Every structure is written in structure tokens, then in C-alpha cells.
Amino acid sequence: MPAPTHAPVSTEMPCLDLPDPEATERLGALFAEFAVPGDVLLLDGQIGAGKTHFARALIQTRLGVAEDVPSPTFTLVQTYEADCEIWHADLYRLTDPDEVLELGLDAAFDSAICLIEWPDRLGSAAPKGALRLRFEQTEDGASRRVCFETVTPLAQEVLEAWNG
């Protein structure tokens, strides 16, 4: 009997074009629909690439209200109580990965939905199985693009819903 053949696996990471802020909000809302405690989203990208806008939409959708969701640039971490706990961290100002432990993020990785901006500051403390999203500005500066740098069950659910 011949060996089964499989379709070639694509090595190209899936990317979505986000032509306006509303598209970024729709993507955040879609993630809010599927994310569960223990999901960690590592949000990469330059300043102004849409990371905080995406996180704000996810958090507001999960809360079910248009609550003010400030950037945690100066507080480092903001937590929210929805149907589960949500942690939004901006690690830009951290200088050492050991500071992550002081924030309590390591415990939150297992019990909350975690949105981490500037995840390179985590070093080896980045959880295995986290979904890494890279946000980019397009050349015209008006639209954004998000690329899924890891594929997780959450990523697959969101991509199927987005394309469905």
C-alpha cells in the first residue's frame, strides 16, 4: 500500500491587513471571543503599530462595556475583571527579565488572559505556547498589518473566523 501523502506545509506566516482602526478593533473583538485563561498574546511592533489599540478593543469587548482602558506604559500592568482576569502589560520600561517576576506575570500566565506589549523584555520568561503577533505600519502609515508568528489553537480559531 502506498504511503499517504500530505499537502505541503506552508512556511509563510499568516498575516492580516488592517486598513483602518476599525479593522484593528474587529480583530481585537474576535480575539476576545475565543481567548481563555492561560492564553498569552505577545504583541510585537514599533510604537504606533496598533498594539495598544488592539489590546484595548479586546479588553473592552471582554468587559462588555466601553470602559477606559489606558495604556500601561507607566503603570507597567493593568488588570481587569471580566468573566476571567485579564492582564495588560507594557514592558517597554523594563531593563531586566527578572523584573517580570516582581510584577507577578509568571503566575498570571497560567490563570489569566495576558496581553504583553514589548515581549522581548521577557527574555527566557516568555511562556512556551504563547501566541506572538507582530504589528506593522504599512508604507502609507495609515493602515496596519498583523502577522501571526506562532500558530496556536487560539490563532487557528481567530483566523478561521476572520476568513470565514
Side-chain angles (χ1 to χ4, degrees):
M1 183 185 287
T5 59
H6 299 281
V9 176
S10 172
T11 56
E12 187 176 318
M13 65 183 154
C15 295
L16 301 175
D17 291 319
L18 305 172
D20 52 40
E22 291 77 20
T24 303
E25 291 167 14
R26 283 193 308 276
L27 184 61
L30 198 54
F31 268 92
E33 233 180 274
F34 293 105
V36 297
D39 281 332
V40 178
L41 282 70
L42 305 176
L43 310 177
D44 266 332
Q46 295 299 315
I47 292 172
K51 302 178 302 292
T52 301
H53 193 72
F54 166 85
R56 184 174 290 125
L58 187 156
I59 293 164
Q60 287 176 332
T61 300
R62 197 63 180 243
L63 290 174
V65 294
E67 180 176 322
D68 183 39
V69 177
S71 171
T73 300
F74 296 104
T75 58
L76 299 180
V77 175
Q78 296 280 9
T79 60
Y80 301 90
E81 288 295 330
D83 58 320
C84 67
E85 196 170 40
I86 302 171
W87 284 51
H88 181 199
D90 183 329
L91 306 182
Y92 183 76
R93 294 181 30 227
L94 292 187
T95 56
D96 188 298
D98 290 339
E99 294 172 304
V100 170
L101 302 175
E102 294 172 25
L103 295 173
L105 275 173
D106 54 330
F109 290 153
D110 295 327
S111 61
I113 296 171
C114 294
L115 311 172
I116 311 296
E117 297 187 46
W118 302 98
D120 58 309
R121 307 299 202 271
L122 289 170
S124 63
K128 305 290 185 258
L131 172 56
R132 184 175 295 271
L133 300 172
R134 183 172 32 85
F135 288 79
E136 306 169 339
Q137 286 182 304
T138 58
E139 287 181 22
D140 68 7
S143 60
R144 306 290 184 264
R145 182 177 175 96
V146 63
C147 294
F148 292 65
E149 293 192 342
T150 53
V151 179
T152 66
L154 174 59
Q156 291 173 332
E157 288 177 315
V158 168
L159 287 167
E160 285 174 17
W162 183 269
N163 294 321

